[in-house]
Amino acid sequence: MNLGVNIDHIATIREARGTNYPSVLDAATLAEKAGANSITLHLREDRRHMQDNDLYELKPLLKTKMNLELAPVDEMVKIALDVLPEDVCLVPERREEKTTEGGLDLIKKFNEIRDISNDLTAAGVRVSLFITPDIKQIDKVIEMNVPVIELHTGSYADFTGDLKEKELFKIRQAVQYAKKEGLLVNAGHGLHYENVQNIARIKEIHELNIGHAIVAKALFIGWENAVAEMKKIITEYAKS
Ligand code: PXP
């Protein structure tokens, strides 16, 4: 199972003071050295963390691949078509949210997201759609001919007790269904060092995208150690 390291919150710290440190380029390079299989970043419409320039500077530097998260809007699609990351993950975005709060609604926005996905695919970018673990949404992904999904694990992370178990069951079912239909399945959001184990046990998942918890852990044990520790947990539990 692969680990995609989301470096948005390295940029959050930089933007808090408008400095040029900490460097997102160093963060990406060191994460790759510590075992990251891809580098994920989200260019938000409000530019609260990543800036346009970061994308252009990171792209030639990455030894693994860039997974760029974007809202499905013209401005962002234009930038993606210029930067040409290996992967684009389309995510819903609301300005007032603290983080990406839900999955895309592919039923409501079918035509819009299908057209954007087709444009990106035609430019050689692999498209992933960020959705909740819901079979109806997966059916729409298949109808759009998009090859990859990322399942939102935020509810699993937030819930406790029975609700957490039910959400985990839904994630497992969604993974099995999507795999059977030939999709590549990633997952992420809200995963940390104590809750990632149950998700990592779902062997059919290709990649977990994790950011906030790794940045937080790095404060105490260092960035490379934090990435390596997460990679170790994922690898161990994916085998068990
Ligand atoms: N995957 C997607 C699609 C996201 O939007 C985010 C948050 O930017 C993540 C994964 C990583 O979430 P977290 O920072 O909670 O690990």
Short mmCIF file of all heavy atoms in Angstrom, two decimals, residues 110-164:
data_model
loop_
_atom_site.label_atom_id
_atom_site.label_comp_id
_atom_site.label_asym_id
_atom_site.label_seq_id
_atom_site.Cartn_x
_atom_site.Cartn_y
_atom_site.Cartn_z
N PHE A 110 -22.98 15.68 -12.63
CA PHE A 110 -22.47 14.66 -13.55
C PHE A 110 -21.79 15.26 -14.79
O PHE A 110 -20.63 15.01 -15.07
CB PHE A 110 -23.59 13.70 -13.97
CG PHE A 110 -23.09 12.56 -14.80
CD1 PHE A 110 -22.63 11.40 -14.20
CD2 PHE A 110 -23.03 12.66 -16.18
CE1 PHE A 110 -22.13 10.35 -14.97
CE2 PHE A 110 -22.53 11.62 -16.96
CZ PHE A 110 -22.08 10.46 -16.34
N ASN A 111 -22.54 16.11 -15.53
CA ASN A 111 -22.00 16.61 -16.81
C ASN A 111 -20.74 17.45 -16.61
O ASN A 111 -19.75 17.29 -17.34
CB ASN A 111 -23.06 17.45 -17.54
CG ASN A 111 -24.17 16.56 -18.07
OD1 ASN A 111 -24.00 15.34 -18.18
ND2 ASN A 111 -25.32 17.15 -18.37
N GLU A 112 -20.80 18.33 -15.61
CA GLU A 112 -19.68 19.23 -15.34
C GLU A 112 -18.40 18.43 -15.01
O GLU A 112 -17.33 18.69 -15.59
CB GLU A 112 -20.13 20.03 -14.11
CG GLU A 112 -19.31 21.19 -13.72
CD GLU A 112 -19.93 21.78 -12.44
OE1 GLU A 112 -21.19 21.81 -12.31
OE2 GLU A 112 -19.15 22.16 -11.56
N ILE A 113 -18.52 17.46 -14.12
CA ILE A 113 -17.32 16.73 -13.70
C ILE A 113 -16.86 15.76 -14.78
O ILE A 113 -15.66 15.59 -15.00
CB ILE A 113 -17.56 16.06 -12.33
CG1 ILE A 113 -17.71 17.19 -11.32
CG2 ILE A 113 -16.43 15.11 -11.95
CD1 ILE A 113 -17.91 16.83 -9.91
N ARG A 114 -17.80 15.19 -15.52
CA ARG A 114 -17.40 14.33 -16.64
C ARG A 114 -16.60 15.14 -17.68
O ARG A 114 -15.55 14.70 -18.15
CB ARG A 114 -18.65 13.73 -17.30
CG ARG A 114 -18.34 12.82 -18.48
CD ARG A 114 -19.49 12.70 -19.43
NE ARG A 114 -19.98 14.02 -19.82
CZ ARG A 114 -21.20 14.29 -20.27
NH1 ARG A 114 -22.09 13.32 -20.37
NH2 ARG A 114 -21.56 15.51 -20.60
N ASP A 115 -17.07 16.35 -18.00
CA ASP A 115 -16.38 17.16 -19.02
C ASP A 115 -14.97 17.56 -18.56
O ASP A 115 -14.01 17.48 -19.32
CB ASP A 115 -17.20 18.41 -19.35
CG ASP A 115 -18.50 18.04 -20.07
OD1 ASP A 115 -18.65 16.84 -20.45
OD2 ASP A 115 -19.37 18.92 -20.25
N ILE A 116 -14.87 17.98 -17.30
CA ILE A 116 -13.54 18.36 -16.76
C ILE A 116 -12.62 17.14 -16.75
O ILE A 116 -11.45 17.23 -17.15
CB ILE A 116 -13.70 18.95 -15.34
CG1 ILE A 116 -14.36 20.33 -15.42
CG2 ILE A 116 -12.35 19.03 -14.62
CD1 ILE A 116 -14.70 20.95 -14.07
N SER A 117 -13.15 16.00 -16.33
CA SER A 117 -12.34 14.77 -16.29
C SER A 117 -11.86 14.41 -17.69
O SER A 117 -10.69 14.03 -17.88
CB SER A 117 -13.14 13.60 -15.71
OG SER A 117 -13.57 13.92 -14.41
N ASN A 118 -12.72 14.56 -18.67
CA ASN A 118 -12.34 14.25 -20.05
C ASN A 118 -11.22 15.17 -20.54
O ASN A 118 -10.28 14.73 -21.20
CB ASN A 118 -13.54 14.38 -20.99
CG ASN A 118 -14.49 13.19 -20.85
OD1 ASN A 118 -14.12 12.16 -20.28
ND2 ASN A 118 -15.72 13.33 -21.34
N ASP A 119 -11.32 16.47 -20.19
CA ASP A 119 -10.28 17.42 -20.62
C ASP A 119 -8.94 17.07 -20.00
O ASP A 119 -7.90 17.12 -20.66
CB ASP A 119 -10.66 18.86 -20.20
CG ASP A 119 -11.83 19.39 -21.02
OD1 ASP A 119 -12.20 18.75 -22.03
OD2 ASP A 119 -12.40 20.45 -20.63
N LEU A 120 -8.96 16.73 -18.72
CA LEU A 120 -7.70 16.39 -18.03
C LEU A 120 -7.13 15.09 -18.59
O LEU A 120 -5.92 14.98 -18.84
CB LEU A 120 -7.94 16.28 -16.52
CG LEU A 120 -8.22 17.61 -15.80
CD1 LEU A 120 -8.80 17.37 -14.41
CD2 LEU A 120 -6.94 18.46 -15.69
N THR A 121 -8.00 14.12 -18.80
CA THR A 121 -7.55 12.82 -19.34
C THR A 121 -6.93 13.00 -20.72
O THR A 121 -5.87 12.43 -21.02
CB THR A 121 -8.73 11.84 -19.42
OG1 THR A 121 -9.31 11.73 -18.12
CG2 THR A 121 -8.31 10.46 -19.89
N ALA A 122 -7.55 13.84 -21.53
CA ALA A 122 -7.04 14.08 -22.89
C ALA A 122 -5.64 14.72 -22.85
O ALA A 122 -4.84 14.54 -23.77
CB ALA A 122 -8.01 14.98 -23.65
N ALA A 123 -5.34 15.43 -21.73
CA ALA A 123 -4.01 16.06 -21.60
C ALA A 123 -3.01 15.10 -20.96
O ALA A 123 -1.87 15.49 -20.67
CB ALA A 123 -4.14 17.33 -20.77
N GLY A 124 -3.42 13.88 -20.69
CA GLY A 124 -2.49 12.88 -20.14
C GLY A 124 -2.45 12.84 -18.63
O GLY A 124 -1.58 12.21 -18.04
N VAL A 125 -3.38 13.54 -17.98
CA VAL A 125 -3.44 13.54 -16.51
C VAL A 125 -4.39 12.43 -16.06
O VAL A 125 -5.49 12.30 -16.61
CB VAL A 125 -3.95 14.91 -16.00
CG1 VAL A 125 -4.12 14.90 -14.48
CG2 VAL A 125 -3.03 16.05 -16.44
N ARG A 126 -3.98 11.67 -15.05
CA ARG A 126 -4.88 10.65 -14.52
C ARG A 126 -5.82 11.30 -13.51
O ARG A 126 -5.36 11.99 -12.60
CB ARG A 126 -4.07 9.53 -13.87
CG ARG A 126 -4.94 8.37 -13.41
CD ARG A 126 -4.11 7.20 -12.99
NE ARG A 126 -3.31 7.50 -11.81
CZ ARG A 126 -2.67 6.57 -11.11
NH1 ARG A 126 -2.71 5.31 -11.48
NH2 ARG A 126 -1.97 6.91 -10.05
N VAL A 127 -7.10 11.06 -13.68
CA VAL A 127 -8.09 11.74 -12.83
C VAL A 127 -8.60 10.81 -11.74
O VAL A 127 -8.87 9.63 -11.98
CB VAL A 127 -9.28 12.25 -13.68
CG1 VAL A 127 -10.33 12.93 -12.80
CG2 VAL A 127 -8.78 13.22 -14.75
N SER A 128 -8.73 11.39 -10.55
CA SER A 128 -9.32 10.69 -9.41
C SER A 128 -10.45 11.57 -8.89
O SER A 128 -10.37 12.79 -8.92
CB SER A 128 -8.22 10.52 -8.36
OG SER A 128 -8.76 10.17 -7.11
N LEU A 129 -11.52 10.93 -8.42
CA LEU A 129 -12.64 11.69 -7.87
C LEU A 129 -12.79 11.36 -6.39
O LEU A 129 -12.80 10.19 -5.99
CB LEU A 129 -13.93 11.36 -8.63
CG LEU A 129 -13.90 11.66 -10.14
CD1 LEU A 129 -15.22 11.25 -10.80
CD2 LEU A 129 -13.60 13.13 -10.43
N PHE A 130 -12.88 12.42 -5.58
CA PHE A 130 -12.97 12.27 -4.12
C PHE A 130 -14.44 12.14 -3.74
O PHE A 130 -15.22 13.08 -3.89
CB PHE A 130 -12.35 13.51 -3.48
CG PHE A 130 -12.14 13.42 -2.00
CD1 PHE A 130 -11.51 12.32 -1.42
CD2 PHE A 130 -12.52 14.47 -1.16
CE1 PHE A 130 -11.28 12.26 -0.05
CE2 PHE A 130 -12.29 14.42 0.21
CZ PHE A 130 -11.67 13.32 0.76
N ILE A 131 -14.82 10.96 -3.26
CA ILE A 131 -16.23 10.68 -2.97
C ILE A 131 -16.36 9.99 -1.60
O ILE A 131 -15.41 9.40 -1.11
CB ILE A 131 -16.88 9.79 -4.06
CG1 ILE A 131 -16.08 8.49 -4.25
CG2 ILE A 131 -17.02 10.54 -5.38
CD1 ILE A 131 -16.75 7.46 -5.15
N THR A 132 -17.58 10.07 -1.06
CA THR A 132 -17.85 9.31 0.16
C THR A 132 -18.04 7.83 -0.24
O THR A 132 -18.31 7.54 -1.42
CB THR A 132 -19.12 9.84 0.86
OG1 THR A 132 -20.18 9.85 -0.09
CG2 THR A 132 -18.90 11.23 1.42
N PRO A 133 -17.91 6.90 0.71
CA PRO A 133 -18.06 5.49 0.33
C PRO A 133 -19.51 5.12 0.04
O PRO A 133 -20.19 4.51 0.86
CB PRO A 133 -17.51 4.74 1.56
CG PRO A 133 -17.59 5.71 2.68
CD PRO A 133 -17.52 7.08 2.11
N ASP A 134 -19.98 5.47 -1.13
CA ASP A 134 -21.38 5.34 -1.49
C ASP A 134 -21.44 4.70 -2.90
O ASP A 134 -20.88 5.23 -3.85
CB ASP A 134 -21.99 6.76 -1.48
CG ASP A 134 -23.43 6.79 -1.96
OD1 ASP A 134 -23.93 5.78 -2.47
OD2 ASP A 134 -24.05 7.87 -1.82
N ILE A 135 -22.10 3.56 -2.97
CA ILE A 135 -22.13 2.78 -4.23
C ILE A 135 -22.73 3.62 -5.38
O ILE A 135 -22.29 3.53 -6.53
CB ILE A 135 -22.94 1.47 -4.04
CG1 ILE A 135 -22.36 0.62 -2.90
CG2 ILE A 135 -23.04 0.66 -5.34
CD1 ILE A 135 -20.96 0.13 -3.06
N LYS A 136 -23.71 4.46 -5.07
CA LYS A 136 -24.35 5.29 -6.12
C LYS A 136 -23.33 6.26 -6.73
O LYS A 136 -23.36 6.52 -7.93
CB LYS A 136 -25.54 6.08 -5.53
CG LYS A 136 -26.73 5.20 -5.19
CD LYS A 136 -28.02 5.98 -5.18
CE LYS A 136 -28.36 6.69 -3.92
NZ LYS A 136 -28.31 6.13 -2.61
N GLN A 137 -22.44 6.77 -5.90
CA GLN A 137 -21.40 7.67 -6.42
C GLN A 137 -20.39 6.87 -7.26
O GLN A 137 -19.95 7.33 -8.32
CB GLN A 137 -20.68 8.39 -5.27
CG GLN A 137 -21.56 9.30 -4.44
CD GLN A 137 -22.05 10.53 -5.20
OE1 GLN A 137 -21.45 10.97 -6.19
NE2 GLN A 137 -23.16 11.10 -4.75
N ILE A 138 -20.06 5.68 -6.80
CA ILE A 138 -19.10 4.85 -7.55
C ILE A 138 -19.67 4.51 -8.94
O ILE A 138 -18.94 4.54 -9.94
CB ILE A 138 -18.74 3.57 -6.76
CG1 ILE A 138 -18.05 3.96 -5.45
CG2 ILE A 138 -17.86 2.63 -7.58
CD1 ILE A 138 -17.78 2.79 -4.50
N ASP A 139 -20.97 4.24 -8.98
CA ASP A 139 -21.59 3.95 -10.28
C ASP A 139 -21.43 5.12 -11.25
O ASP A 139 -21.23 4.93 -12.45
CB ASP A 139 -23.08 3.62 -10.09
CG ASP A 139 -23.27 2.19 -9.57
OD1 ASP A 139 -22.35 1.37 -9.76
OD2 ASP A 139 -24.33 1.91 -8.97
N LYS A 140 -21.50 6.33 -10.72
CA LYS A 140 -21.34 7.51 -11.59
C LYS A 140 -19.90 7.63 -12.08
O LYS A 140 -19.65 8.04 -13.21
CB LYS A 140 -21.76 8.79 -10.83
CG LYS A 140 -23.25 8.87 -10.56
CD LYS A 140 -24.02 9.04 -11.87
CE LYS A 140 -25.46 8.66 -11.69
NZ LYS A 140 -26.19 8.46 -12.93
N VAL A 141 -18.94 7.28 -11.22
CA VAL A 141 -17.52 7.31 -11.63
C VAL A 141 -17.32 6.37 -12.82
O VAL A 141 -16.67 6.70 -13.82
CB VAL A 141 -16.59 6.90 -10.46
CG1 VAL A 141 -15.13 6.87 -10.90
CG2 VAL A 141 -16.77 7.83 -9.26
N ILE A 142 -17.93 5.18 -12.72
CA ILE A 142 -17.80 4.18 -13.78
C ILE A 142 -18.42 4.72 -15.07
O ILE A 142 -17.84 4.61 -16.15
CB ILE A 142 -18.47 2.85 -13.34
CG1 ILE A 142 -17.72 2.29 -12.11
CG2 ILE A 142 -18.50 1.83 -14.47
CD1 ILE A 142 -18.51 1.29 -11.31
N GLU A 143 -19.60 5.33 -14.92
CA GLU A 143 -20.28 5.90 -16.08
C GLU A 143 -19.45 7.00 -16.75
O GLU A 143 -19.50 7.19 -17.96
CB GLU A 143 -21.60 6.52 -15.59
CG GLU A 143 -22.81 6.16 -16.41
CD GLU A 143 -24.04 6.83 -15.81
OE1 GLU A 143 -24.36 6.56 -14.62
OE2 GLU A 143 -24.67 7.63 -16.53
N MET A 144 -18.67 7.72 -15.95
CA MET A 144 -17.83 8.80 -16.49
C MET A 144 -16.54 8.27 -17.09
O MET A 144 -15.77 9.03 -17.67
CB MET A 144 -17.44 9.77 -15.36
CG MET A 144 -18.53 10.66 -14.90
SD MET A 144 -17.86 11.76 -13.61
CE MET A 144 -19.39 12.40 -12.96
N ASN A 145 -16.25 6.99 -16.84
CA ASN A 145 -15.01 6.40 -17.34
C ASN A 145 -13.76 6.97 -16.68
O ASN A 145 -12.70 7.04 -17.31
CB ASN A 145 -14.92 6.63 -18.85
CG ASN A 145 -14.56 5.36 -19.56
OD1 ASN A 145 -14.32 4.33 -18.91
ND2 ASN A 145 -14.51 5.43 -20.87
N VAL A 146 -13.89 7.40 -15.45
CA VAL A 146 -12.74 7.90 -14.68
C VAL A 146 -12.09 6.70 -13.99
O VAL A 146 -12.79 5.85 -13.44
CB VAL A 146 -13.21 8.96 -13.65
CG1 VAL A 146 -12.14 9.25 -12.62
CG2 VAL A 146 -13.63 10.24 -14.37
N PRO A 147 -10.72 6.61 -14.03
CA PRO A 147 -10.09 5.36 -13.57
C PRO A 147 -9.85 5.22 -12.06
O PRO A 147 -9.57 4.12 -11.59
CB PRO A 147 -8.73 5.40 -14.29
CG PRO A 147 -8.44 6.84 -14.49
CD PRO A 147 -9.77 7.51 -14.69
N VAL A 148 -9.88 6.34 -11.32
CA VAL A 148 -9.45 6.30 -9.91
C VAL A 148 -10.47 7.00 -9.01
O VAL A 148 -11.06 8.00 -9.40
CB VAL A 148 -8.08 7.03 -9.73
CG1 VAL A 148 -7.54 6.83 -8.31
CG2 VAL A 148 -7.05 6.57 -10.76
N ILE A 149 -10.67 6.44 -7.80
CA ILE A 149 -11.44 7.16 -6.79
C ILE A 149 -10.59 7.32 -5.54
O ILE A 149 -9.69 6.51 -5.29
CB ILE A 149 -12.77 6.46 -6.41
CG1 ILE A 149 -12.53 5.02 -5.93
CG2 ILE A 149 -13.76 6.50 -7.55
CD1 ILE A 149 -13.77 4.36 -5.33
N GLU A 150 -10.89 8.38 -4.79
CA GLU A 150 -10.35 8.47 -3.43
C GLU A 150 -11.54 8.50 -2.49
O GLU A 150 -12.42 9.36 -2.61
CB GLU A 150 -9.48 9.71 -3.25
CG GLU A 150 -8.91 9.77 -1.83
CD GLU A 150 -7.83 10.82 -1.61
OE1 GLU A 150 -7.11 11.16 -2.58
OE2 GLU A 150 -7.72 11.31 -0.47
N LEU A 151 -11.58 7.53 -1.59
CA LEU A 151 -12.70 7.46 -0.64
C LEU A 151 -12.42 8.34 0.57
O LEU A 151 -11.32 8.30 1.15
CB LEU A 151 -12.93 6.01 -0.20
CG LEU A 151 -13.41 5.06 -1.30
CD1 LEU A 151 -13.48 3.63 -0.78
CD2 LEU A 151 -14.79 5.47 -1.85
N HIS A 152 -13.42 9.13 0.92
CA HIS A 152 -13.31 10.08 2.03
C HIS A 152 -13.40 9.30 3.35
O HIS A 152 -14.43 8.70 3.65
CB HIS A 152 -14.48 11.07 1.92
CG HIS A 152 -14.28 12.34 2.68
ND1 HIS A 152 -13.83 12.37 3.97
CD2 HIS A 152 -14.48 13.64 2.33
CE1 HIS A 152 -13.76 13.62 4.38
NE2 HIS A 152 -14.15 14.42 3.39
N THR A 153 -12.32 9.34 4.13
CA THR A 153 -12.32 8.62 5.41
C THR A 153 -12.60 9.57 6.59
O THR A 153 -12.44 9.18 7.75
CB THR A 153 -10.96 7.91 5.62
OG1 THR A 153 -9.90 8.86 5.41
CG2 THR A 153 -10.78 6.75 4.67
N GLY A 154 -13.04 10.80 6.29
CA GLY A 154 -13.27 11.79 7.34
C GLY A 154 -14.32 11.37 8.36
O GLY A 154 -14.13 11.59 9.56
N SER A 155 -15.41 10.77 7.91
CA SER A 155 -16.45 10.36 8.86
C SER A 155 -15.94 9.21 9.73
O SER A 155 -16.17 9.19 10.94
CB SER A 155 -17.72 9.91 8.13
OG SER A 155 -18.28 11.00 7.45
N TYR A 156 -15.23 8.27 9.10
CA TYR A 156 -14.62 7.18 9.89
C TYR A 156 -13.72 7.78 10.98
O TYR A 156 -13.75 7.35 12.13
CB TYR A 156 -13.81 6.25 8.96
CG TYR A 156 -12.77 5.44 9.68
CD1 TYR A 156 -13.12 4.32 10.42
CD2 TYR A 156 -11.42 5.84 9.67
CE1 TYR A 156 -12.16 3.60 11.12
CE2 TYR A 156 -10.46 5.13 10.36
CZ TYR A 156 -10.83 4.02 11.08
OH TYR A 156 -9.89 3.32 11.79
N ALA A 157 -12.94 8.81 10.61
CA ALA A 157 -12.02 9.41 11.57
C ALA A 157 -12.76 10.13 12.69
O ALA A 157 -12.35 10.07 13.85
CB ALA A 157 -11.08 10.38 10.84
N ASP A 158 -13.87 10.78 12.35
CA ASP A 158 -14.60 11.59 13.35
C ASP A 158 -15.49 10.76 14.25
O ASP A 158 -15.67 11.08 15.42
CB ASP A 158 -15.50 12.62 12.64
CG ASP A 158 -14.68 13.70 11.95
OD1 ASP A 158 -13.49 13.85 12.31
OD2 ASP A 158 -15.21 14.39 11.06
N PHE A 159 -16.10 9.71 13.70
CA PHE A 159 -17.07 8.94 14.47
C PHE A 159 -16.40 8.10 15.57
O PHE A 159 -15.21 7.81 15.50
CB PHE A 159 -17.85 7.96 13.56
CG PHE A 159 -18.83 8.61 12.62
CD1 PHE A 159 -19.24 7.96 11.46
CD2 PHE A 159 -19.36 9.87 12.89
CE1 PHE A 159 -20.15 8.54 10.59
CE2 PHE A 159 -20.28 10.45 12.03
CZ PHE A 159 -20.67 9.79 10.88
N THR A 160 -17.23 7.70 16.56
CA THR A 160 -16.74 6.77 17.59
C THR A 160 -17.74 5.61 17.68
O THR A 160 -18.84 5.69 17.14
CB THR A 160 -16.65 7.46 18.97
OG1 THR A 160 -17.95 8.02 19.25
CG2 THR A 160 -15.60 8.55 19.01
N GLY A 161 -17.35 4.55 18.38
CA GLY A 161 -18.26 3.43 18.69
C GLY A 161 -18.86 2.78 17.46
O GLY A 161 -18.18 2.54 16.46
N ASP A 162 -20.18 2.51 17.56
CA ASP A 162 -20.90 1.81 16.49
C ASP A 162 -20.85 2.53 15.16
O ASP A 162 -20.75 1.91 14.09
CB ASP A 162 -22.38 1.67 16.88
CG ASP A 162 -22.58 0.45 17.76
OD1 ASP A 162 -21.57 -0.24 18.02
OD2 ASP A 162 -23.74 0.21 18.16
N LEU A 163 -20.96 3.85 15.25
CA LEU A 163 -20.96 4.64 14.00
C LEU A 163 -19.64 4.47 13.25
O LEU A 163 -19.60 4.37 12.03
CB LEU A 163 -21.18 6.12 14.31
CG LEU A 163 -22.61 6.55 14.62
CD1 LEU A 163 -22.66 8.04 14.95
CD2 LEU A 163 -23.53 6.26 13.41
N LYS A 164 -18.55 4.40 14.01
CA LYS A 164 -17.22 4.21 13.40
C LYS A 164 -17.16 2.84 12.72
O LYS A 164 -16.68 2.72 11.59
CB LYS A 164 -16.15 4.32 14.48
CG LYS A 164 -14.75 4.55 13.95
CD LYS A 164 -13.78 4.65 15.11
CE LYS A 164 -12.48 5.32 14.73
NZ LYS A 164 -12.58 6.75 14.48
#
